[in-house]
Amino acid sequence: MSNVVIIGGGAAGMMAAVSAAGAGHRVRLYEKNEKLGKKLYITGKGRCNLTNACGIGELFDHVVDNGKFLYSSFYAFSNQDMIAFMEENGCPVKIERGNRVFPVSDKSSDVIKVFSRRLEALGVEVHLREEVADLTQDSGRITGIVLKKGCRPVPADAVIVATGGLSYPSTGSTGDGYAFAKRMGHTLTEPNPALVPFVVRELATVQALQGPSLRNVRVRVLNGEKTRYEALGEMLFTHFGVSGPVLLSASSYVAKELKKEALALAIDLKPAMTKEQLDARILRDFAEVKNRRFKNSLIHLLPSRLIPVIVERSKIMEDKPVNEITREERHRLTALIKDFRLTLVGLRDYQEAIITQGGISVREVHPKTMESKLIQGLYFAGEVLDLDAVTGGFNLQIAWSTGYLAGMSVSFS
């Protein structure tokens, strides 16, 4: 039986503890917060989108960086395994739009209760309010950790670092694991906020458009004429820019490029119609209200808050009767609705980022075990690694899968 120390009591850390203890090891888990799963409490707006029920092949399609590295992890502990784990431990789940999986109760606390019960049943020693200051090693072999309080050493045969990234620092994600790994000789891929809202140049425009979400719009992020990201989904305008699921996912694909230069956002407000179909629809609407002024003619086509902005951008006089609008003006209106442009100039910071992109280079970690290639007995799991995915439960599945594999693999050290 090995003495296993786990640093971090989030999703990956708790799963690693359950896995390692289930394999017969003595496990001690150190968490610097006052409770386990602090970040889990706020995921999915407190409901915890704990995984995605898609086919296992689709899991890889939703990973943004280093998907191939996750082959062993996903097959060792899949999304279906996670669903079964929850239900077998007293937390029934439900599947919602986009195959998102939530507890039936809609309470993230129920997910944490499952892990708390399992950790207790398996005899895991949970040490709360205990911050780790450093790792110790000798001749390329991990020997333990040093606790910050009193600089107390804790010997260990294996250490699993599951400290998370930099997102939501109020939950304790302050990059500790990056520092530990660098001191052990590991390379760090530059971290960036990911799954995070965009800042736009046209602030007056987006502030005028703030309101409920726009459903089923198509967005494209472009660098010049080259499309860098394209998807259909839900978005919203904010006081600083744009957000919503489809744009949070876009941020993971274009964050690095956006650091270098501004990008264009093209929004198709009516993706279900071609330009020709939209033009015909506008003609019908105009025919029904032929004596109405242009600014009052779009109420059946667009949300009310969009109309003044569209009217202004169309360069059609707002008081012009619709029966006097020319074919050229109508085509300009159609083109605007199908290609509404904003300029992306940056991202919000880690306070609003759901995850961190970047982290410990996976080239220096064995994908079949999560063990460091540089230090024997040192393992990594979860967001601390250079792994990330789009929204929909995929990032938590990375945490569950890598945590499980790391904990299970200790027995093979």
Side-chain angles (χ1 to χ4, degrees):
M1 179 173 70
S2 298
N3 288 310
V4 180
V5 163
I6 293 166
I7 310 173
M14 290 191 295
M15 181 58 83
V18 167
S19 179
H25 300 292
R26 181 193 176 191
V27 178
R28 284 169 289 184
L29 188 157
Y30 292 88
E31 168 55 54
K32 67 182 178 181
N33 285 312
E34 73 285 358
K35 61 185 176 183
L36 295 173
K38 195 166 183 180
K39 188 175 175 183
L40 270 178
Y41 272 105
I42 61 173
T43 60
K45 297 179 181 176
R47 298 174 62 217
C48 192
N49 177 193
L50 58 96
T51 189
N52 193 284
C54 66
I56 192 166
E58 291 180 63
L59 287 179
F60 296 97
D61 295 337
H62 290 86
V63 176
V64 177
D65 289 303
N66 300 312
K68 289 181 181 178
F69 176 85
L70 287 163
Y71 186 89
S72 295
S73 298
F74 281 165
Y75 278 97
F77 192 82
S78 70
N79 49 348
Q80 297 304 321
D81 292 326
M82 185 58 195
I83 290 169
F85 176 83
M86 284 287 114
E87 299 205 316
E88 288 165 7
N89 286 283
C91 182
V93 303
K94 59 184 176 180
I95 300 172
E96 297 188 359
R97 183 169 54 91
N99 282 320
R100 289 168 165 81
V101 180
F102 294 89
V104 167
S105 65
D106 282 332
K107 294 179 180 177
S108 57
S109 57
D110 285 349
V111 176
I112 298 160
K113 285 175 185 174
V114 164
F115 280 96
S116 296
R117 289 194 297 266
R118 288 301 297 147
L119 292 170
E120 185 177 1
L122 289 164
V124 174
E125 296 177 28
V126 176
H127 300 267
L128 299 175
R129 299 185 178 89
E130 283 278 19
E131 188 169 353
V132 176
D134 210 348
L135 311 180
T136 58
Q137 61 94 17
D138 183 30
S139 303
R141 169 84 205 188
I142 202 78
T143 56
I145 63 170
V146 178
L147 296 174
K148 195 168 188 178
K149 195 184 298 179
C151 295
R152 288 175 292 144
V154 178
D157 300 306
V159 173
I160 301 174
V161 177
T163 50
L166 291 165
S167 59
Y168 295 132
S170 61
T171 65
S173 298
T174 51
D176 299 348
Y178 300 152
F180 300 154
K182 285 180 78 172
R183 287 198 288 270
M184 292 292 114
H186 278 274
T187 305
L188 203 65
T189 303
E190 184 183 4
N192 285 301
L195 299 185
V196 64
F198 288 95
V199 177
V200 306
R201 183 173 291 154
E202 299 85 356
L203 287 177
T205 298
V206 294
Q207 287 166 3
L209 293 174
Q210 284 184 84
S213 300
L214 294 177
R215 294 180 180 272
N216 299 318
V217 296
R218 180 168 293 281
V219 303
R220 288 182 300 140
V221 179
L222 304 105
N223 189 337
E225 296 301 314
K226 294 181 180 178
T227 299
R228 297 306 192 195
Y229 175 86
E230 183 172 3
L232 182 73
E234 185 177 331
M235 68 161 288
L236 68 154
F237 299 99
T238 69
H239 68 281
F240 55 78
V242 287
S243 187
V246 72
L247 286 163
L248 294 180
S249 292
S251 71
S252 289
Y253 287 95
V254 303
K256 297 182 181 93
E257 204 164 353
L258 190 57
K259 271 189 165 184
K260 301 173 186 173
E261 57 189 316
L263 301 173
L265 173 65
I267 307 167
D268 184 347
L269 297 166
K270 292 292 177 181
M273 290 186 271
T274 64
K275 281 186 180 181
E276 292 73 24
Q277 290 169 331
L278 178 58
D279 186 51
R281 162 70 188 275
I282 291 170
L283 268 174
R284 288 197 303 273
D285 286 357
F286 283 179
E288 290 174 8
V289 292
K290 56 187 177 182
N291 294 316
R292 190 172 292 179
R293 299 183 189 282
F294 175 52
K295 66 180 179 182
N296 300 320
S297 68
L298 302 175
I299 55 173
H300 299 302
L301 185 66
L302 297 169
S304 57
R305 69 188 182 282
L306 267 171
I307 292 172
V309 176
I310 293 294
V311 168
E312 181 184 3
R313 285 196 172 195
S314 73
K315 295 184 170 54
I316 302 170
M317 293 180 62
E318 63 176 31
D319 289 327
K320 191 171 190 174
V322 294
N323 60 1
E324 295 179 14
I325 290 176
T326 66
R327 184 170 180 268
E328 181 187 343
E329 289 174 324
R330 198 180 68 245
H331 285 180
R332 197 162 66 231
L333 172 64
T334 302
L336 174 61
I337 293 171
K338 294 290 288 179
D339 191 6
F340 184 86
R341 293 286 179 118
L342 293 167
T343 310
L344 305 175
V345 294
L347 297 171
R348 299 290 276 182
D349 62 19
Y350 286 111
Q351 300 285 351
E352 296 177 51
I354 295 174
I355 61 161
T356 306
Q357 188 175 63
I360 298 164
S361 173
V362 296
R363 293 180 181 180
E364 298 166 357
V365 178
H366 291 288
K368 291 184 179 180
T369 62
M370 297 292 116
E371 187 175 19
S372 165
K373 293 180 180 179
L374 310 182
I375 305 292
Q376 193 176 358
L378 174 61
Y379 297 78
F380 301 103
E383 194 179 341
V384 73
L385 289 161
D386 182 15
L387 299 166
D388 64 285
V390 298
T391 57
F394 301 103
N395 287 288
L396 268 180
Q397 187 58 48
I398 290 174
W400 308 131
S401 295
T402 56
Y404 176 87
L405 185 57
M408 183 184 72
S409 300
V410 170
S411 56
F412 300 106
S413 293

